[in-house]
Amino acid sequence: MKKLTAMSLTMPAVVAAGTDEMVRHLYKFAFNRVDEVPETSAEKQKYADDYYSYVNWLHDQPTEMWQLHQMEPKHRLIATYLAAEEPTTDTVIIAHGYKGNGETMANYAKMFHELGYNVLLPDDRAHGKSAGKYITFGWLDRLDYLEWIQKIINTVGTDSRITLFGVSMGGATVEMLSGEKLPEQVRCIIADCGYSNINDEMSYLLKKTFHLPKYPFVPAVDFLNRQRQGFDLKQVSSVEQLKHNRLPILFIHGQKDAYVPVEMLIDNYAATKGPKEKWMVENATHAESFWIDPAAYKEHVADFINRYIAYHPSAN
């Protein structure tokens, strides 16, 4: 009986220690910077040859390296700038996905380049060539994109017309950016498969990938993140930011997306107050909408931008 009592007293400590170790493992897996892009999922391996042809195309272009905070190594941010073949002040900023970088968006860069736009491809914090120890899932990145926007205005011209475009985490990044006070040069937004908020996204993937419940793991990861990055994961919400948006936005989402559920598209679409459209791509999984039919994707995107590039809420 004494042994049983001693065991019952020590078990909570053992469980707590195991939980703490798991939380630290989860945080490292999800938030630590990435220096090499992970392999794509098995279902997208069929696009590998096309993907690398786009990357090679980008490498062959006369690009420029842009920097923010150049004299601060721990905060330095890097982007690739590709000017249009014909001079223009119309520019698209492309936000990459989770554990990607600007180069992984080469297919979209080529699409917009063919449409006649300047293209800026930032590497987010803790991705690619940019500094940063931890991934912020778009939350702090949105503030960096405000600086990239200003750099475009300063470099390309005050008559710039800017489109924000992002896929997956990049989609959520431009959705969250939409809630900030944006200069009049920003005209419209295109968000492909962005999540509604990181709390729900993490809870969903925790169950799907690791078969673990939301509690106690997500609150514990949140606590660890507040210690390391200084913000609450509940703040990382596309829905809350979209409530302040007045710009036109096109939402794109694959009907078979099992990584960011379609319900998140519905929540994001309902939240925004500006002109809005949604395009559900039949048979597309997560971030696959472009690859299923690049021509149709290009047509949808071009049509949306052409209708709204001259738009600004103050003039409407």
Side-chain angles (χ1 to χ4, degrees), residues 24 39 90 125 134 144 160 179 189 266 276:
R24 293 181 183 280
E39 286 192 10
D90 291 345
R125 298 183 186 205
Y134 299 117
D144 301 329
S160 291
I189 301 168
I266 296 170
K276 54 187 174 182

Side-chain angles (χ1 to χ4, degrees), residues 92-109:
V92 178
I93 303 177
I94 299 178
H96 65 75
Y98 177 62
K99 293 191 176 181
N101 56 46
E103 181 182 277
T104 62
M105 307 300 279
N107 54 313
Y108 303 103

Side-chain angles (χ1 to χ4, degrees), residues 38-53:
E39 286 192 10
T40 189
S41 60
E43 67 187 9
K44 294 189 180 69
Q45 286 294 334
K46 58 189 174 186
Y47 303 120
D49 290 344
D50 289 338
Y51 167 77
Y52 285 109
S53 72

Side-chain angles (χ1 to χ4, degrees), residues 14-315:
V14 172
V15 171
T19 300
D20 182 66
E21 183 178 353
M22 176 61 77
V23 167
R24 293 181 183 280
H25 171 76
L26 290 170
Y27 192 89
K28 180 180 178 181
F29 174 81
F31 287 84
N32 275 23
R33 78 165 286 119
V34 55
D35 292 306
E36 294 185 9
V37 178
E39 286 192 10
T40 189
S41 60
E43 67 187 9
K44 294 189 180 69
Q45 286 294 334
K46 58 189 174 186
Y47 303 120
D49 290 344
D50 289 338
Y51 167 77
Y52 285 109
S53 72
Y54 285 115
V55 171
N56 291 335
W57 171 85
L58 182 61
H59 289 171
D60 290 338
Q61 302 309 303
T63 58
E64 302 172 14
M65 185 179 76
W66 285 13
Q67 298 187 57
L68 295 175
H69 312 295
Q70 185 175 354
M71 306 307 293
E72 304 174 62
K74 291 184 178 181
H75 303 287
R76 186 181 299 137
L77 298 173
I78 304 295
T80 299
Y81 178 75
L82 173 62
E85 288 189 5
E86 298 295 329
T88 182
T89 54
D90 291 345
T91 304
V92 178
I93 303 177
I94 299 178
H96 65 75
Y98 177 62
K99 293 191 176 181
N101 56 46
E103 181 182 277
T104 62
M105 307 300 279
N107 54 313
Y108 303 103
K110 188 171 190 290
M111 176 184 71
F112 285 116
H113 187 69
E114 290 174 347
L115 291 170
Y117 296 96
N118 306 314
V119 174
L120 185 69
L121 298 159
D123 288 354
D124 288 355
R125 298 183 186 205
H127 292 81
K129 296 178 181 178
S130 289
K133 189 174 182 180
Y134 299 117
I135 296 169
T136 83
F137 290 91
W139 184 242
L140 299 183
D141 304 299
R142 84 194 193 286
L143 304 178
D144 301 329
Y145 278 79
L146 289 174
E147 295 190 66
W148 288 124
I149 289 169
Q150 191 58 51
K151 189 169 180 67
I152 287 172
I153 295 169
N154 294 343
T155 306
V156 178
T158 56
D159 55 345
S160 291
R161 300 188 300 183
I162 299 170
T163 297
L164 306 175
F165 174 89
V167 179
S168 191
M169 185 183 79
T173 301
V174 297
E175 288 166 349
M176 289 187 278
L177 179 57
S178 77
E180 301 303 313
K181 185 177 181 180
L182 298 172
E184 64 178 12
Q185 286 86 353
V186 179
R187 301 305 176 87
C188 58
I189 301 168
I190 302 171
D192 187 334
C193 60
Y195 40 77
S196 56
N197 66 80
I198 198 61
N199 238 23
D200 288 348
E201 177 67 7
M202 286 186 65
S203 300
Y204 171 79
L205 292 177
L206 195 63
K207 182 176 180 180
K208 179 180 173 61
T209 306
F210 296 103
H211 308 290
L212 293 173
K214 177 178 180 178
Y215 298 100
F217 295 104
V218 172
V221 168
D222 181 30
F223 177 76
L224 192 56
N225 187 66
R226 276 182 277 135
Q227 289 182 317
R228 294 184 178 182
Q229 297 208 74
F231 63 87
D232 191 318
L233 293 181
K234 292 184 179 69
Q235 295 175 264
V236 188
S237 172
S238 297
V239 167
E240 291 304 313
Q241 289 290 100
L242 283 164
K243 289 178 181 178
H244 304 287
N245 176 56
R246 296 296 183 273
L247 290 175
I249 182 165
L250 169 63
F251 297 95
I252 302 172
H253 215 99
Q255 286 185 336
K256 293 186 177 180
D257 194 331
Y259 191 82
V260 176
V262 173
E263 290 77 14
M264 292 194 171
L265 163 68
I266 296 170
D267 291 341
N268 287 337
Y269 184 83
T272 187
K273 306 305 180 191
K276 54 187 174 182
E277 300 177 16
K278 58 183 173 183
W279 177 33
M280 296 283 291
V281 181
E282 188 175 358
N283 295 321
T285 59
H286 184 67
E288 192 184 19
S289 296
F290 171 91
W291 299 101
I292 280 185
D293 192 339
Y297 196 98
K298 183 178 181 180
E299 182 179 355
H300 269 82
V301 164
D303 178 66
F304 179 79
I305 296 177
N306 289 340
R307 280 185 288 113
Y308 289 110
I309 194 68
Y311 181 92
H312 198 270
S314 64

